[in-house]
Amino acid sequence: MSRTTTAETTDVFGADSILRRLVGEARWGLAVTRATLLEAAHPQIGAALMENSTFLTHPWRRLRNTATSSRRILSPDPRVRDREVARLNRLHARMSGTDAQGRPYDATDPEARAWVAATLFESTVAMCRLSGETLDAGEMRRLYDEYRIFLTLIDGDNEHLPATLQEFWPYYDHVVENRLENNDAVGVILYRLLANVPAPPALRGHPLVWTVGRAVAGPLATAVIIASLPEPFCRRVALPDLPGARTLMQGAYLTAGLATRYLPESWTRVDSVMGLLDPSSATPWDTVRRKAGQAAALLRLITPAPAADDQQVVLSADRFFSEVLDQTGDGYLRWPDLAAMAREVATRLDLGEQDEERLFQAYAAWWRELQAALDGDDDGRVTRQEYAAAAASLPGAGLIKIADVLFDVTDVDDDQKIDAQEYRDLFRTAFGRDLAGDGSYSRGAFVRQFVSFMSGQEHSEAYSTLLTQA
């Protein structure tokens, strides 16, 4: 089986690329969600998700980063593609270990990566079929070839994915029937993630509106996902056959297909939907945000105010633990939580290898300090109670080191201050009022605010947006 060359990659990911067109459409989110569940059932991928991923606590951030990464990999500029692939491989190389059953997992495992490409291809085909778009034999072969090239870019080769579309379907059926399992990651995605998904940033100021909408939409979304999955997979992982779910699923996909064909393109592109994840952006969905604000105001009028908190100090540390430190949502502070913070900063600033390594090393130094101060039983994790009880006396040298590195990588022009554009690149927010009068951020001010926030002593809207954004 021959390797795909750079020239072939450039030709396929040109202006007529089927994959690039579909990835740019908002309905592709249906394919990605479906594929994610099939990926999670793979033992290697499921373990990596449960141990390292922030998809449960920060699903919208994960969605935004996935969309951004996909666009970069499909870019016609080889430099953009190569940089993104290198970044992804560095991040995935840090995700390895053993699952709860003692089985090793590695996020760079070639067979698992091939399964990711396989689920995305099959789910994209299913999305097109269910939403009323027919792919003829030639288009389907082209789409499959593009996914094989996608895998080649990430993994260096595509040896673990069948060479032809004809060979793909028996391979896919074999993995579904013999390799996948009903693991914790599958249950979390179906029954915890959709039931508890936090509000996207644009609607975070209206929690009552979101809670009411989620109570209705969550079960419906679960039913749509289950009904769209291959029957052999549903049997293997014992998913329920919900009455009316198939009709609901077909209606959801057809609606997405009709919207793509008949609504203005600016409404149905991924970029427009991503605008809901960025409150400072101007998108066609601004009206939705305004209506949500009006509905929230009405609900506040009829909802009693919460009772006063008599344990403000302890609960403040407890809330900080939950919203900032526990990035993976397992109830503990572990190294994967701090690594997730470093990943988010590295992704947002598109750091090169050297700067990224400095950032991870700084977070590792802080983790060693936290372990020494708080991990009394030496089990590699800190409980919420342990953190809340000792929050006021935590060491600060590691945090200062992180802040120094963070300042250096944000200050791209190396003028020893963070200007408006650098501020926006890091925080993805408007030019904030907490900046100095000359519209810049000195190293001292930056370090002080970061350390105060990360030690739970002072609230910062900018850092809260960066590290708690769902």
Side-chain angles (χ1 to χ4, degrees):
M1 193 177 300
S2 61
R3 291 169 62 96
T4 305
T5 66
T6 302
E8 291 171 330
T9 301
T10 302
D11 290 339
V12 172
F13 292 146
D16 61 343
S17 167
I18 298 175
L19 181 55
R20 177 179 291 169
R21 171 178 64 84
L22 293 174
V23 167
E25 296 173 353
R27 62 173 175 153
W28 195 61
L30 292 168
V32 172
T33 303
R34 182 180 183 275
T36 299
L37 191 64
L38 292 163
E39 293 163 18
H42 189 286
Q44 290 254 2
I45 301 171
L49 283 173
M50 292 303 296
E51 288 294 311
N52 299 276
S53 180
T54 62
F55 76 100
L56 179 61
T57 50
H58 303 286
W60 300 110
R61 188 172 78 188
R62 172 71 182 272
L63 175 61
R64 185 197 66 226
N65 290 343
T66 298
T68 300
S69 182
S70 298
R71 287 199 302 270
R72 289 174 178 172
I73 294 175
L74 292 168
S75 170
D77 187 341
R79 294 169 299 180
V80 174
R81 291 201 307 265
D82 292 347
R83 183 180 179 87
E84 180 62 16
V85 167
R87 186 189 70 80
L88 284 178
N89 283 329
R90 290 195 305 269
L91 297 186
H92 287 157
R94 293 186 171 96
M95 300 180 189
S96 61
T98 56
D99 65 12
Q101 302 178 45
R103 300 175 298 184
Y105 70 87
D106 186 338
T108 63
D109 178 72
E111 185 256 337
R113 285 184 159 190
W115 179 242
V116 171
T119 60
L120 284 170
F121 167 71
E122 190 272 342
S123 292
T124 302
V125 171
M127 176 202 74
C128 291
R129 182 184 71 253
L130 292 169
S131 59
E133 178 180 353
T134 302
L135 296 176
D136 61 33
E139 290 172 326
M140 195 174 295
R141 282 194 298 270
R142 278 181 57 201
L143 182 62
Y144 183 65
D145 289 342
E146 291 182 28
Y147 269 110
R148 294 189 76 240
I149 290 170
F150 189 91
L151 176 61
T152 301
L153 288 171
I154 296 174
D155 205 40
D157 64 48
N158 50 33
E159 300 294 323
H160 289 79
L161 199 61
T164 67
L165 183 59
Q166 185 177 5
E167 297 172 297
F168 170 79
W169 297 112
Y171 152 81
Y172 183 86
D173 293 340
H174 174 79
V175 175
V176 168
E177 294 176 6
N178 297 281
R179 190 79 171 95
L180 303 189
E181 61 184 18
N182 190 4
N183 55 29
D184 290 342
V186 171
V188 163
I189 293 173
L190 280 178
Y191 304 115
R192 285 182 58 195
L193 175 60
L194 294 175
N196 300 291
V197 61
L203 300 177
R204 193 169 297 148
H206 317 299
L208 292 176
V209 173
W210 179 255
T211 300
V212 172
R214 183 180 60 190
V216 176
L220 295 180
T222 299
V224 167
I225 294 171
I226 291 176
S228 72
L229 293 167
E231 290 186 10
F233 175 78
C234 292
R235 290 196 300 269
R236 180 163 181 79
V237 301
L239 295 180
D241 184 9
L242 304 172
R246 182 161 294 276
T247 299
L248 178 66
M249 177 271 296
Q250 291 172 338
Y253 274 86
L254 281 174
T255 299
L258 290 172
T260 301
R261 285 190 288 275
Y262 296 112
L263 287 180
E265 186 176 356
S266 61
W267 286 67
T268 60
R269 300 291 297 172
V270 167
D271 292 342
S272 297
V273 176
M274 290 298 103
L276 287 173
L277 308 186
D278 182 2
S280 65
S281 66
T283 75
W285 299 100
D286 287 340
T287 301
V288 175
R289 289 199 285 258
R290 287 195 298 271
K291 293 298 183 183
Q294 294 169 1
L298 177 61
L299 284 173
R300 282 195 296 270
L301 289 175
I302 61 176
T303 304
D309 186 359
D310 295 329
Q311 296 179 321
Q312 184 175 358
V313 175
V314 174
L315 290 182
S316 176
D318 185 81
R319 181 175 177 180
F320 181 79
F321 183 99
S322 175
E323 295 184 357
V324 178
L325 297 179
D326 184 14
Q327 292 278 307
T328 59
D330 65 353
Y332 298 95
L333 174 60
R334 302 178 297 125
W335 165 242
D337 297 303
L338 273 63
M341 295 184 200
R343 278 202 311 273
E344 177 59 18
V345 173
T347 299
R348 185 164 297 200
L349 295 177
D350 191 20
L351 297 184
E353 182 174 4
Q354 185 175 359
D355 287 336
E356 181 185 287
E357 183 61 25
R358 286 184 63 209
L359 186 65
F360 271 88
Q361 288 299 326
Y363 269 99
W366 186 42
W367 172 236
R368 289 191 292 270
E369 284 189 359
L370 290 174
Q371 279 188 294
L374 301 178
D375 186 15
D377 55 6
D378 199 30
D379 64 351
R381 61 186 188 179
V382 174
T383 67
R384 191 186 308 255
Q385 293 75 20
E386 287 171 336
Y387 175 82
S393 59
L394 290 178
L399 281 177
I400 293 174
K401 183 176 181 180
I402 295 173
D404 271 326
V405 174
L406 191 55
F407 183 91
D408 289 340
V409 298
T410 304
D411 178 24
V412 293
D413 58 7
D414 199 27
D415 64 352
Q416 292 304 301
K417 62 183 180 181
I418 293 176
D419 60 27
Q421 185 57 53
E422 291 166 341
Y423 185 90
R424 284 192 291 266
D425 289 343
L426 176 61
F427 296 116
R428 284 207 182 101
T429 188
F431 192 37
R433 290 175 296 178
D434 53 348
L435 294 173
D438 64 348
S440 64
Y441 221 162
S442 69
R443 180 183 292 272
F446 186 93
V447 171
R448 282 194 300 274
Q449 188 177 29
F450 179 83
V451 172
S452 295
F453 175 78
M454 290 303 300
S455 59
Q457 299 173 18
E458 179 182 322
H459 176 72
S460 165
E461 189 64 34
Y463 284 109
S464 181
T465 298
L466 174 65
L467 296 174
T468 69
Q469 188 176 66

